[in-house]
Amino acid sequence: MERRDDPREAVELPPPLTSGPAPCPSPEVAHDLHWARDLRSAVRCSALLLALLLLIDHAAGALTGPRVLLWTGLAALLLLVLYPARVAVGEGWLSTRGLLGTRRVRTDRLMSVRCLDGVGQRLVLRDTSGARVEIDPRLLVANPALWHRLDDDARVSALRGSLVCGTTALRRLSERVEDEAARAVFKVSGLD
């Protein structure tokens, strides 16, 4: 009789993902609930910029065809910059879909998780096959279903021993998610 002492062997491995199209949505797939709102905000900002630039040019009497094209191009560029990535998390994977394509990592085979500080904080996930995804940590705080799915798979990675860097970043993010959830409960119950 074979004895299994290694906890990594006790974890049931999910089937590998194919390199084909993204998995179809199922009840176990969590999506960013605020993506449509963020997209509408990006479109509104771009439209407002275009309207203001055209209004100023019209008031100054300098509105011409080439200037309309210039301002329209500038508003379109702003829309490209503000366009939010669409994030989905399923069992064993996380994908982001932006204007330039889809990126996917195996969250059950994470190798590193890093939090990059700067003007906009980013969470960088890298799996054992070298795939890399960057997401905004605020997205996980605002969407607990995304966080819980990612956290479950990160624990599987840690049990397997593939997650060699990033447990501190995940712990800090977990604390942020829990703090935000507690604040929401207190706010709803009137205990602010």
Side-chain angles (χ1 to χ4, degrees):
M1 183 177 219
E2 189 176 316
R3 186 174 161 197
R4 292 186 178 199
D5 290 331
D6 189 0
R8 293 177 286 187
E9 293 177 4
V11 176
E12 187 174 311
L13 302 177
L17 289 176
T18 62
S19 60
C24 40
S26 72
E28 296 168 0
V29 175
H31 297 276
D32 179 8
L33 301 175
H34 306 292
W35 180 81
R37 181 194 66 195
D38 294 343
L39 180 61
R40 283 191 300 272
S41 293
V43 169
R44 275 191 223 118
C45 286
S46 298
L48 182 62
L49 176 68
L50 179 61
L52 286 174
L53 290 171
L54 293 176
L55 182 66
I56 290 170
D57 255 8
H58 180 68
L63 189 62
T64 62
R67 289 181 70 94
V68 169
L69 289 175
L70 174 70
W71 299 142
T72 303
L74 186 63
L77 182 62
L78 179 63
L79 179 61
L80 291 176
V81 169
L82 295 178
Y83 189 87
R86 192 167 212 169
V87 178
V89 180
E91 187 173 347
W93 57 271
L94 179 142
S95 70
T96 61
R97 189 172 70 207
L99 291 173
L100 300 177
T102 300
R103 291 180 173 247
R104 185 179 308 135
V105 292
R106 292 293 309 257
T107 53
D108 58 346
R109 295 182 184 161
L110 287 175
M111 185 174 68
S112 70
V113 178
R114 291 186 325 208
C115 198
L116 301 178
D117 292 325
V119 175
Q121 203 177 50
R122 307 301 288 167
L123 188 69
V124 180
L125 307 169
R126 187 179 301 259
D127 67 14
T128 54
S129 65
R132 179 177 182 239
V133 167
E134 288 187 32
I135 59 173
D136 189 343
R138 293 177 298 180
L139 181 106
L140 297 172
V141 172
N143 294 281
L146 292 175
W147 164 249
H148 289 297
R149 182 76 256 162
L150 175 62
D151 185 44
D152 290 346
D153 289 338
R155 290 174 194 269
V156 170
S157 293
L159 282 174
R160 286 185 176 149
S162 66
L163 185 61
V164 294
C165 174
T167 55
T168 304
L170 287 170
R171 188 181 72 249
R172 286 182 185 151
L173 187 56
S174 177
E175 291 169 359
R176 278 181 63 188
V177 170
E178 290 170 4
D179 288 347
E180 189 63 33
R183 278 192 206 100
V185 169
F186 287 141
K187 187 175 182 179
V188 166
S189 63
L191 299 173
D192 301 358

